[in-house]
Amino acid sequence: IQRGTNRPICLYRRAQQGRDLALGSSVFPIYQGGLMGGISESRWARIIYSKEGLSRFLGHLDTVRTVLRTLRRVDWPLVYSEGFTPRVKASFSPALPIGFFSETEFIDLLLPSSATEGKIRERSGFLKIALPCGLRLNRVELIPAFLRKKKIRAIEYWVSTGKMEREGNVNIPCGEMEDQRGRRFNLKEWVAEAERRGNILRLVIKMEEGVSPSPVKIVEFMMRKEQEEGRQTFLRKRFIFESIGT
């Protein structure tokens, strides 16, 4: 144990490295997309991270617990609810299916009035070092409340099929499918875009009221005639939010 810190030496050294990295460079840009108003008006922080390697087999609730514990470990400024069981005021991105990779998972955190831009930048450095293997911090954004409330309109997936194809748009077949709950839907009504890029199939799947069809079922339906060998690898590439004013 490092004297005077009550923490293991290895963790202490890693945290110090994270602090130096955060204060000495702009690895963690606070503002993205030209947001204005500063931290005094943007009381929410969006932490965007990736799931790689074996972490893709973590369930949604396990990932939530892991990230929240790491935030407490690095002394991130958090706001708790009131009552007998205080909880962190935060919201996570939609659950990622087990086995999927992702580059766009996020958590929105309400910031206390005492949080400063310098502290957010410093704790971002600690967080990058402290996150467990497989969870990688991409960036931290300060967002106004009205942007945080924008709904997710669609999700973009990249599917590695292991088979080289001619690049270009893919015709979306007609037909009905069943989701996990047995509800039937028309494939063309939910798949907004389908495009081939070598051995990558790019899909943009619509999302309504927090519900979206399984990309695994959609790929199986679209490629049922091809009978491709091997397992596909799924990557959640990005979320597409609704436009301002809609």
mmCIF file of all heavy atoms in Angstrom, residues 10 14 22 28 41 47-48 54 62 99 107 129 140 148 161 169 181 205 242 246:
data_model
loop_
_atom_site.group_PDB
_atom_site.id
_atom_site.type_symbol
_atom_site.label_atom_id
_atom_site.label_comp_id
_atom_site.label_asym_id
_atom_site.label_seq_id
_atom_site.Cartn_x
_atom_site.Cartn_y
_atom_site.Cartn_z
ATOM 1 N N CYS A 10 0.576 0.032 -7.500
ATOM 2 C CA CYS A 10 0.380 -0.037 -8.950
ATOM 3 C C CYS A 10 -0.744 0.885 -9.387
ATOM 4 O O CYS A 10 -0.628 1.600 -10.388
ATOM 5 C CB CYS A 10 0.107 -1.478 -9.378
ATOM 6 S SG CYS A 10 -1.344 -2.212 -8.617
ATOM 7 N N ARG A 14 -0.438 4.257 -11.769
ATOM 8 C CA ARG A 14 -1.245 4.380 -12.982
ATOM 9 C C ARG A 14 -2.093 5.641 -12.934
ATOM 10 O O ARG A 14 -2.278 6.323 -13.937
ATOM 11 C CB ARG A 14 -2.129 3.154 -13.148
ATOM 12 C CG ARG A 14 -1.366 1.886 -13.482
ATOM 13 C CD ARG A 14 -2.300 0.703 -13.575
ATOM 14 N NE ARG A 14 -3.207 0.845 -14.706
ATOM 15 C CZ ARG A 14 -4.237 0.050 -14.913
ATOM 16 N NH1 ARG A 14 -4.500 -0.919 -14.052
ATOM 17 N NH2 ARG A 14 -5.010 0.218 -15.952
ATOM 18 N N ALA A 22 -3.553 13.759 -18.722
ATOM 19 C CA ALA A 22 -4.704 14.635 -18.895
ATOM 20 C C ALA A 22 -4.306 16.099 -18.850
ATOM 21 O O ALA A 22 -4.816 16.921 -19.605
ATOM 22 C CB ALA A 22 -5.742 14.347 -17.810
ATOM 23 N N PHE A 28 -8.135 14.403 -24.277
ATOM 24 C CA PHE A 28 -9.545 14.308 -23.921
ATOM 25 C C PHE A 28 -10.232 15.637 -24.201
ATOM 26 O O PHE A 28 -10.384 16.461 -23.305
ATOM 27 C CB PHE A 28 -9.698 13.933 -22.446
ATOM 28 C CG PHE A 28 -8.857 12.765 -22.062
ATOM 29 C CD1 PHE A 28 -7.663 12.932 -21.387
ATOM 30 C CD2 PHE A 28 -9.244 11.490 -22.399
ATOM 31 C CE1 PHE A 28 -6.890 11.848 -21.047
ATOM 32 C CE2 PHE A 28 -8.469 10.410 -22.067
ATOM 33 C CZ PHE A 28 -7.288 10.591 -21.390
ATOM 34 N N GLU A 41 -23.308 26.186 -18.131
ATOM 35 C CA GLU A 41 -24.611 25.948 -18.739
ATOM 36 C C GLU A 41 -24.784 24.514 -19.199
ATOM 37 O O GLU A 41 -25.903 24.074 -19.412
ATOM 38 C CB GLU A 41 -24.797 26.898 -19.927
ATOM 39 C CG GLU A 41 -24.773 28.370 -19.533
ATOM 40 C CD GLU A 41 -24.977 29.274 -20.731
ATOM 41 O OE1 GLU A 41 -25.372 28.744 -21.790
ATOM 42 O OE2 GLU A 41 -24.740 30.480 -20.603
ATOM 43 N N ILE A 47 -19.777 10.469 -21.497
ATOM 44 C CA ILE A 47 -18.555 9.683 -21.608
ATOM 45 C C ILE A 47 -18.778 8.622 -22.680
ATOM 46 O O ILE A 47 -19.659 7.770 -22.545
ATOM 47 C CB ILE A 47 -18.194 9.032 -20.261
ATOM 48 C CG1 ILE A 47 -17.930 10.116 -19.205
ATOM 49 C CG2 ILE A 47 -16.993 8.120 -20.398
ATOM 50 C CD1 ILE A 47 -17.722 9.560 -17.816
ATOM 51 N N ILE A 48 -18.007 8.678 -23.745
ATOM 52 C CA ILE A 48 -18.152 7.761 -24.868
ATOM 53 C C ILE A 48 -16.990 6.771 -24.828
ATOM 54 O O ILE A 48 -15.826 7.176 -24.769
ATOM 55 C CB ILE A 48 -18.170 8.523 -26.203
ATOM 56 C CG1 ILE A 48 -19.327 9.529 -26.187
ATOM 57 C CG2 ILE A 48 -18.314 7.560 -27.379
ATOM 58 C CD1 ILE A 48 -19.371 10.427 -27.402
ATOM 59 N N LEU A 54 -12.561 -9.354 -24.810
ATOM 60 C CA LEU A 54 -13.464 -10.194 -24.024
ATOM 61 C C LEU A 54 -14.549 -9.405 -23.316
ATOM 62 O O LEU A 54 -15.527 -9.991 -22.841
ATOM 63 C CB LEU A 54 -12.648 -10.991 -22.990
ATOM 64 C CG LEU A 54 -11.666 -12.021 -23.570
ATOM 65 C CD1 LEU A 54 -10.903 -12.713 -22.454
ATOM 66 C CD2 LEU A 54 -12.388 -13.051 -24.428
ATOM 67 N N ASP A 62 -23.794 -5.714 -15.977
ATOM 68 C CA ASP A 62 -22.403 -5.850 -15.512
ATOM 69 C C ASP A 62 -21.552 -4.682 -15.999
ATOM 70 O O ASP A 62 -20.705 -4.171 -15.257
ATOM 71 C CB ASP A 62 -21.815 -7.168 -16.006
ATOM 72 C CG ASP A 62 -22.453 -8.375 -15.347
ATOM 73 O OD1 ASP A 62 -22.874 -8.244 -14.179
ATOM 74 O OD2 ASP A 62 -22.536 -9.433 -15.983
ATOM 75 N N GLY A 99 -21.680 -10.285 -27.057
ATOM 76 C CA GLY A 99 -20.864 -10.729 -28.176
ATOM 77 C C GLY A 99 -20.613 -9.660 -29.213
ATOM 78 O O GLY A 99 -19.781 -9.853 -30.098
ATOM 79 N N ILE A 107 -22.380 7.018 -21.547
ATOM 80 C CA ILE A 107 -23.080 7.230 -20.297
ATOM 81 C C ILE A 107 -23.180 8.726 -20.073
ATOM 82 O O ILE A 107 -22.198 9.461 -20.209
ATOM 83 C CB ILE A 107 -22.367 6.544 -19.103
ATOM 84 C CG1 ILE A 107 -23.028 6.954 -17.783
ATOM 85 C CG2 ILE A 107 -20.876 6.853 -19.081
ATOM 86 C CD1 ILE A 107 -22.456 6.250 -16.575
ATOM 87 N N ILE A 129 -7.038 5.514 -17.559
ATOM 88 C CA ILE A 129 -6.110 4.546 -17.008
ATOM 89 C C ILE A 129 -6.826 3.472 -16.185
ATOM 90 O O ILE A 129 -6.452 2.296 -16.208
ATOM 91 C CB ILE A 129 -5.056 5.262 -16.136
ATOM 92 C CG1 ILE A 129 -4.283 6.295 -16.969
ATOM 93 C CG2 ILE A 129 -4.087 4.266 -15.524
ATOM 94 C CD1 ILE A 129 -3.508 5.712 -18.112
ATOM 95 N N VAL A 140 -14.732 12.629 -23.901
ATOM 96 C CA VAL A 140 -15.706 13.157 -22.950
ATOM 97 C C VAL A 140 -16.271 14.442 -23.526
ATOM 98 O O VAL A 140 -15.508 15.314 -23.972
ATOM 99 C CB VAL A 140 -15.072 13.421 -21.570
ATOM 100 C CG1 VAL A 140 -16.089 14.022 -20.617
ATOM 101 C CG2 VAL A 140 -14.499 12.138 -20.995
ATOM 102 N N ARG A 148 -29.074 16.386 -24.808
ATOM 103 C CA ARG A 148 -29.115 15.067 -24.182
ATOM 104 C C ARG A 148 -30.474 14.412 -24.368
ATOM 105 O O ARG A 148 -30.577 13.178 -24.391
ATOM 106 C CB ARG A 148 -28.793 15.207 -22.691
ATOM 107 C CG ARG A 148 -28.475 13.897 -22.002
ATOM 108 C CD ARG A 148 -28.395 14.093 -20.507
ATOM 109 N NE ARG A 148 -29.696 14.293 -19.925
ATOM 110 C CZ ARG A 148 -30.491 13.302 -19.521
ATOM 111 N NH1 ARG A 148 -30.130 12.044 -19.691
ATOM 112 N NH2 ARG A 148 -31.660 13.554 -18.995
ATOM 113 N N THR A 161 -18.670 -10.332 -42.567
ATOM 114 C CA THR A 161 -19.250 -11.587 -43.041
ATOM 115 C C THR A 161 -18.195 -12.612 -43.423
ATOM 116 O O THR A 161 -18.522 -13.768 -43.662
ATOM 117 C CB THR A 161 -20.147 -11.319 -44.261
ATOM 118 O OG1 THR A 161 -19.357 -10.707 -45.291
ATOM 119 C CG2 THR A 161 -21.292 -10.386 -43.883
ATOM 120 N N ASN A 169 -24.529 -0.613 -52.870
ATOM 121 C CA ASN A 169 -25.748 -0.778 -52.088
ATOM 122 C C ASN A 169 -26.306 -2.192 -52.243
ATOM 123 O O ASN A 169 -26.148 -2.833 -53.281
ATOM 124 C CB ASN A 169 -26.796 0.248 -52.519
ATOM 125 C CG ASN A 169 -26.363 1.677 -52.216
ATOM 126 O OD1 ASN A 169 -25.619 1.903 -51.255
ATOM 127 N ND2 ASN A 169 -26.801 2.623 -53.016
ATOM 128 N N ARG A 181 -39.570 -11.099 -29.245
ATOM 129 C CA ARG A 181 -40.849 -11.189 -28.526
ATOM 130 C C ARG A 181 -41.971 -11.759 -29.383
ATOM 131 O O ARG A 181 -43.129 -11.758 -28.965
ATOM 132 C CB ARG A 181 -41.247 -9.804 -28.009
ATOM 133 C CG ARG A 181 -40.212 -9.195 -27.065
ATOM 134 C CD ARG A 181 -40.658 -7.837 -26.573
ATOM 135 N NE ARG A 181 -39.657 -7.232 -25.689
ATOM 136 C CZ ARG A 181 -39.783 -6.040 -25.116
ATOM 137 N NH1 ARG A 181 -40.873 -5.313 -25.357
ATOM 138 N NH2 ARG A 181 -38.841 -5.565 -24.339
ATOM 139 N N ILE A 205 -30.171 0.584 -38.982
ATOM 140 C CA ILE A 205 -31.460 0.046 -38.541
ATOM 141 C C ILE A 205 -32.183 1.118 -37.738
ATOM 142 O O ILE A 205 -31.615 1.704 -36.806
ATOM 143 C CB ILE A 205 -31.256 -1.222 -37.702
ATOM 144 C CG1 ILE A 205 -30.478 -2.258 -38.512
ATOM 145 C CG2 ILE A 205 -32.598 -1.794 -37.262
ATOM 146 C CD1 ILE A 205 -30.126 -3.505 -37.734
ATOM 147 N N GLU A 242 -31.905 12.208 -33.601
ATOM 148 C CA GLU A 242 -32.838 13.040 -34.347
ATOM 149 C C GLU A 242 -32.287 14.459 -34.470
ATOM 150 O O GLU A 242 -31.489 14.911 -33.644
ATOM 151 C CB GLU A 242 -34.198 13.071 -33.651
ATOM 152 C CG GLU A 242 -34.182 13.683 -32.265
ATOM 153 C CD GLU A 242 -35.511 13.641 -31.576
ATOM 154 O OE1 GLU A 242 -36.469 13.130 -32.172
ATOM 155 O OE2 GLU A 242 -35.615 14.137 -30.437
ATOM 156 N N THR A 246 -36.924 18.525 -34.300
ATOM 157 C CA THR A 246 -37.866 17.494 -34.729
ATOM 158 C C THR A 246 -38.501 16.842 -33.528
ATOM 159 O O THR A 246 -37.984 16.906 -32.436
ATOM 160 C CB THR A 246 -37.162 16.436 -35.584
ATOM 161 O OG1 THR A 246 -36.103 15.820 -34.804
ATOM 162 C CG2 THR A 246 -36.581 17.060 -36.837
#
